[in-house]
Amino acid sequence: MSELAVSLLRLSYLLALWLFVFAALGVLRRDTYGTKILRRAAGAMSLVRKRRVVAPPVPDSPSRPTDDAAPHPQRSARPAAPDSDAPNRLVVVSGPLRGTTLPLGNGLTIGRSATSNLVLDDEFTSGRHALIAPRDGRWYVEDLGSTNGTFVGRQRISRPVPVRIGSTVRIGQTRVELR
Amino acid sequence: MATVAPYPARPGRGAELGLLALALGTSIYAFAQVSLAMTGELTTDFKRFAIGYPALALVVHVLLRLRAAYADPVILPVAVLLNGTGLAMIYRLALRYQVSQPEFGQIFSRQLIWTALGVVAAVCVLGFLRDHRTLRRFTYTTMLLGLAGLVLPLVPGIGVEQGGARIWIRLGQMSFQPAEISKILLTIFFAGYLVTRRETLALAGPKFLGLRLPRPRDLGPIMGAWLASLAVLIFEKDLGTSLLFFGLFVAILYIATDRPSWIAIGLLLFSGGVVVAWRLFAHLQTRVDTWLDPFADYYESGYQLSNGLFGLASGGLMGTGWGKGRPDLTSLAFSDFIVDSLGEELGLTGLFAILICFLLLVQRGMRAAMGVRDGFGTLLASGLAFAIALQVFVVVGGVTRLIPLTGLTTPFLAAGGSSLVANWMIVALLLRVSDGARRPPPATHEIDVAGLMAAEEGSQAA
């Protein structure tokens, strides 16, 4: 083989090797996953659309006007009209976020991950820790397989448990109540 | 105001197939060059490789499509490229040894069989292990098996001593390093054990020089790991394995507790152990002397390391090209010194590409660890990724004279069946964890009201 052919073979192999490296880096760049920050208008829409799958919507959800925009015959047929007994907000009664109030809407997720509705920056909280959602007019809290558990009163819950107004749910260092 | 929303996760199997084609193409191209440079024609071994190796890689790819559709798309191609490059270099050396050292003539065909067995092992792990959390149930079983693997070479009759270290067992014709499998088993144990103990170990202790130290009674586990690694060092005389296990434990401990003081304590304990061992054992003193000046005793203890360095030097920036160098002049050029062999024929440019491939593999493991939703998976994936990183550092650092040479194998590249099988299993575990990390959580979350009612009625009746 000529000197030139040897050099060409040698350099073309190194080129192929680096081509692979850059292709892999390219895949990683396109493959970013995790969370993205959206402007409120666009983000709220997509979140609401997802939340609708989570649980049947509750009529009085002031924070999500988009809910009422879509006609929804089944829901309007429902008798669960504004009820003075029905809780409509979640209040953090102790912990770092004490005093925070969130509208319950169609249900809330609580956890450390940025996608939760109530984000708790707490070492004792799991990424997706607990879910608070309505079912047949009652509100339930469910643990989503967290490491340190969700407590209603003193009891660590292992299945969805109904919560009433004023009953305390403890997650890590935070206590929340439905009001 | 802005809100945070998840990116839609993409399975990435198409990207994986593309990268796999590149990795296979590069490996086959390397093989063709070796074959042409050494024999002047495309040998039957080349044809066997060019057909068999893509088939093996595609089996894993198809299995991933079926069983772990969201697994990381970069891990498998990187492993395929590294293993293929190692095979090409071993083939190149085997062709040379058939002339000069016939006792090593079989290294290529053996490595090819072990590659196939490694892929089969990976397929088994991916096929049978549907969720990495299953492994947590076997925390203490894996500890027993892992420790058994560590002490197996000491059993008279099956344990063999080679090159001053007693880390092999011999079964018939095959010799095997059980420590390679122990590495995986003990990573599972460390992850399972520390995920339950991390709160205790992360508890506040006295503060000293800006480091929060653990309480004395919480030192138990790290002392246990230290004594075990010292036992390996003293009885099996293998600094590399000892360093790997202790380093692995300290790394997982640090990741579990988020406390830098564990690293300080670990380094202190390990350097203490090494200093004592260095005073006691002559072969460790030789290693250190060779590291400080390999040319002082060139024809005896420094021969291998010096020749490896000469190889790297003659490779230079662009290398001599496949089959054009003389890596066979270094003893064990196909196992401990394969990085020097690759450096000679591919040059610094090629060696850096290979090191970046290792970096990618480790980074993808760490990324899977960050993304996965359970603590056990985090510790498992980061431990396995760290084991690869530490092993590459110890080997490449050893042959390039950054640190004293210790007997560890280069993952995927070096000839050695146990290492290859173990590394393919690690890749399978990382793929499994990354699948768990990237798979989007189920969109609907239905509350099981019927079950709830039944449970309530049951409790009322009771």
Side-chain angles (χ1 to χ4, degrees), chain B residues 200-232:
Chain B
T200 330
L201 294 171
L203 271 180
K207 208 163 178 163
F208 176 70
L209 289 178
L211 277 180
R212 195 170 285 283
L213 295 176
R215 296 173 303 179
R217 61 179 163 187
D218 292 332
L219 286 173
I222 197 170
M223 296 306 285
W226 181 61
L227 289 175
S229 76
L230 268 192
V232 169

Side-chain angles (χ1 to χ4, degrees), chain A residues 8-70:
Chain A
L8 277 180
L9 278 179
R10 185 176 63 142
L11 296 180
S12 60
Y13 175 75
L14 291 179
L15 211 64
L17 210 53
W18 279 98
L19 188 69
F20 172 81
V21 167
F22 281 107
L25 291 175
V27 167
L28 293 188
R29 199 175 59 84
R30 276 187 292 112
D31 195 58
T32 321
Y33 61 98
T35 52
K36 61 180 167 185
I37 309 294
L38 293 173
R39 280 191 43 247
R40 175 134 227 163
M45 293 282 280
S46 68
L47 280 179
V48 165
R49 216 171 294 130
K50 258 185 204 152
R51 186 98 319 118
R52 182 163 287 163
V53 195
V54 171
V58 151
D60 50 348
S61 57
S63 74
R64 303 197 192 285
T66 41
D67 255 289
D68 297 339

Side-chain angles (χ1 to χ4, degrees), chain B residues 26-38 41-42 46 49 88:
Chain B
T26 311
S27 304
I28 292 171
Y29 191 40
F31 242 82
Q33 288 200 19
V34 165
S35 184
L36 284 175
M38 302 294 291
E41 54 174 16
L42 292 176
F46 165 77
F49 174 83

Side-chain angles (χ1 to χ4, degrees), chain A residues 9-10 12-14 18 20 23 28 30-31 33-38 40 43 53-54 131 135 140 142 144 160, chain B residues 1-3 5-7 10 22 29-30 33 74 319 321-322 346 349 356 364 367 438 444-446 449 452:
Chain A
L9 278 179
R10 185 176 63 142
S12 60
Y13 175 75
L14 291 179
W18 279 98
F20 172 81
L28 293 188
R30 276 187 292 112
D31 195 58
Y33 61 98
T35 52
K36 61 180 167 185
I37 309 294
L38 293 173
R40 175 134 227 163
V53 195
V54 171
L131 171 77
R135 190 79 188 191
Y140 290 89
E142 179 175 12
L144 299 178
Chain B
M1 286 296 279
T3 51
Y7 262 112
R10 271 175 295 203
L22 271 178
Y29 191 40
Q33 288 200 19
V74 175
W322 282 106
L346 309 183
T349 318
I356 289 181
R364 292 329 283 165
R367 185 66 186 83
R438 292 157 48 91
T444 54
H445 195 95
E446 290 293 328
V449 173
L452 188 71

Side-chain angles (χ1 to χ4, degrees), chain B residues 182-200:
Chain B
S182 289
K183 178 174 73 183
I184 304 176
L185 294 171
L186 287 179
T187 308
I188 296 170
F189 162 66
F190 292 157
Y193 172 77
L194 289 174
V195 80
T196 49
R197 289 299 183 85
R198 61 174 160 191
E199 266 87 15
T200 330

Side-chain angles (χ1 to χ4, degrees), chain B residues 286-310 337 398-402 405:
Chain B
T286 321
R287 286 271 171 92
V288 173
D289 293 342
T290 312
W291 166 54
L292 293 174
D293 188 2
F295 305 107
D297 190 8
Y298 173 71
Y299 287 103
E300 292 296 325
S301 58
Y303 192 67
Q304 193 183 23
L305 189 56
S306 320
N307 274 358
L309 292 173
F310 289 148
F337 278 75
V399 296
T400 54
R401 259 190 75 217
L402 182 69
L405 191 62

